Amino acid sequence: MHSISSLDARTAFNQDIAADRLVPLWDQLHSLVPREPARTIQAALWRYRELRPHLMRAGRLLTAAEAVRRVLVMENPAIPGRASITQSLYAGLQLILPGEVAPSHRHTQSALRLVIEGRSAHTVVDGERIPMAPGDFIITPSWTWHDHGNHQEGEGGEPVVWLDGLDIPLLGFLGAQFAEEHASEEQPLTQADGSSLARYGSGLLPVRHRVRSPVSPLSHYPYERTREALHALLRNGELDPWDGIKLRYANPATGGWAMPSIATCMQLLPGGFQGRTWRSTDATVYSVVEGRGDAIIGGQRFAFEPKDTFVVPSWAGLSLHASEDATLFSFSDRPLHEALGLLRESREPV
Ligand code: GTQ
């Protein structure tokens, strides 16, 4: 190609315009507008077996009240220091010990919980106490009051751990973060136990329910029901060559996602399943509820077992293999890709 100026002239130009807070586009056009998603984050897996001792050590180091939220954040190794597992999402494992309370607050960031271990804790979302059992999916939508507790001391009380998924990096990017503390450590209970599930969780809705928001009125999706649905479909012989049997958590009032910024799914891979490769633009976090297998991410193999977490970057090929019946929970920023008309998926043909 023909050059109309010397390299020196261009360097001098770049230096001169820098004083006026300008940079030339032509030096970075291809990284700003790449041909396909840049490899900003990398595939990674956190083994619960290795992580749990650190979490229990944190439990001896400080109380839940002292920490406010006693969480070990899983940081994507390609973007350390940003408390992010993908460009837009945050993931951490939270521990609450018997007798502890994580004090009530609310924030504009949306949060999801996927219970990893233990049964003696609960979370309170806008006045309703939600019990936690392994595999349960619970939402804490934007600006809802929430506190967590593990009230059973002694008999029956056990450490409870759950996965937190939040849109913290996204809200930081948007500059839309607000938070406040509740006047009391635990918010008052204003709803009877099980109200949300009874009103919204059985294919029924209160007769005068009017949809005013894109947030699911159902806050608790018990694993028992999710598991039953997936296994019923498996018994009926339904199997997608890429996904196995995959269902998404829905807002029962709109059919949309449970929360406007985070998509959540649960899938069942029968033992021996060898999934085909596919990719999509939404980088996705997986949490293994049951079973063992392998995730092949961008050609790299990650063996998984129950309670492990792994992350699949945007546009990286993924295939899932199960050596025994496996259920995988997953979340991503897919609703944003959909809303903006940006979602792309491609599936390796059968
Ligand atoms: O439970 O409210 O992992 O506010 C990070 C920030 C959990 C929570 C996190 C939070 C919470």
Side-chain angles (χ1 to χ4, degrees):
M1 220 195 287
H2 179 70
S3 222
I4 61 161
S5 61
S6 69
L7 197 58
D8 282 353
R10 293 187 185 196
T11 306
F13 174 77
N14 291 1
Q15 281 167 358
D16 290 346
I17 66 169
D20 287 322
R21 289 153 286 121
L22 298 167
V23 291
L25 172 62
W26 53 87
D27 284 348
Q28 50 172 336
L29 179 60
H30 295 297
S31 60
L32 287 179
V33 189
R35 296 182 67 87
E36 52 179 61
R39 293 269 171 260
T40 309
I41 61 161
Q42 69 187 59
L45 180 141
W46 288 261
R47 272 191 203 90
Y48 190 66
R49 154 162 68 86
E50 291 167 5
L51 198 156
R52 191 180 189 277
H54 298 314
L55 204 47
M56 295 306 146
R57 187 172 161 203
R60 295 188 296 272
L61 214 58
L62 73 180
T63 65
E66 204 183 336
V68 183
R69 297 293 183 262
R70 192 201 284 118
V71 179
L72 294 185
V73 182
M74 292 177 277
E75 280 199 334
N76 194 288
I79 46 169
R82 284 169 47 182
S84 303
I85 191 161
T86 71
Q87 286 100 320
S88 61
L89 296 171
Y90 157 107
L93 289 178
Q94 181 161 176
L95 167 69
I96 186 153
L97 295 168
E100 289 189 327
V101 171
S104 199
H105 69 188
R106 65 177 176 178
H107 38 70
T108 49
Q109 291 85 352
S110 300
L112 66 86
R113 330 274 169 207
L114 191 270
V115 183
I116 302 288
E117 70 163 287
R119 290 177 181 273
S120 56
H122 65 267
T123 190
V124 182
V125 183
D126 264 353
E128 185 179 340
R129 189 180 199 270
I130 308 201
M132 291 176 139
D136 282 8
F137 167 61
I138 296 160
I139 61 167
T140 310
S142 179
W143 213 239
T144 52
W145 291 110
H146 53 284
D147 42 87
H148 318 299
N150 187 344
H151 281 298
Q152 296 180 25
E153 289 211 68
E155 202 75 14
E158 52 189 352
V160 176
V161 177
W162 62 82
L163 169 74
D164 281 325
L166 288 93
D167 53 9
I168 289 175
L170 173 70
L171 267 70
F173 177 77
L174 298 173
Q177 315 106 306
F178 293 92
E180 60 187 38
E181 284 155 34
H182 200 279
S184 42
E185 194 176 49
E186 291 178 279
Q187 63 182 296
L189 300 179
T190 56
Q191 302 287 319
D193 290 357
S195 298
S196 154
L197 199 55
R199 286 200 186 97
Y200 305 105
S202 304
L204 299 160
L205 292 173
V207 66
R208 289 189 179 78
H209 180 82
R210 290 287 169 267
V211 177
R212 266 174 271 109
S213 96
V215 167
S216 176
L218 181 62
S219 18
H220 185 200
Y221 299 74
Y223 182 54
E224 203 177 31
R225 292 190 183 188
T226 307
R227 188 179 196 282
E228 208 172 277
L230 292 168
H231 279 272
L233 293 172
L234 176 64
R235 285 193 299 275
N236 295 349
E238 215 155 290
L239 201 62
D240 178 272
W242 294 268
D243 295 336
I245 298 141
K246 189 170 184 178
L247 297 173
R248 63 185 187 85
Y249 289 97
N251 173 338
T254 63
W257 299 102
M259 293 188 290
S261 57
I262 311 179
T264 43
C265 292
M266 190 76 94
Q267 72 197 101
L268 169 61
L269 314 172
F273 181 74
Q274 300 268 331
R276 303 213 145 251
T277 304
W278 65 288
R279 57 184 178 166
S280 67
T281 49
D282 56 326
T284 304
V285 181
Y286 287 79
S287 176
V288 182
V289 181
E290 291 185 57
R292 286 176 169 72
D294 293 308
I296 317 291
I297 311 171
Q300 210 183 337
R301 179 181 164 279
F302 294 87
F304 64 76
E305 57 183 42
K307 305 178 171 51
D308 288 353
T309 308
F310 59 89
V311 58
V312 181
S314 167
W315 215 234
L318 169 69
S319 65
L320 295 168
H321 304 222
S323 51
E324 59 191 53
D325 284 4
T327 30
L328 306 181
F329 171 81
S330 56
F331 70 97
S332 79
D333 60 7
R334 175 169 287 233
L336 304 174
H337 292 241
E338 289 173 340
L340 301 176
L342 300 174
L343 183 70
R344 285 203 198 190
E345 281 193 286
S346 100
R347 291 178 146 204
E348 166 203 58
V350 183

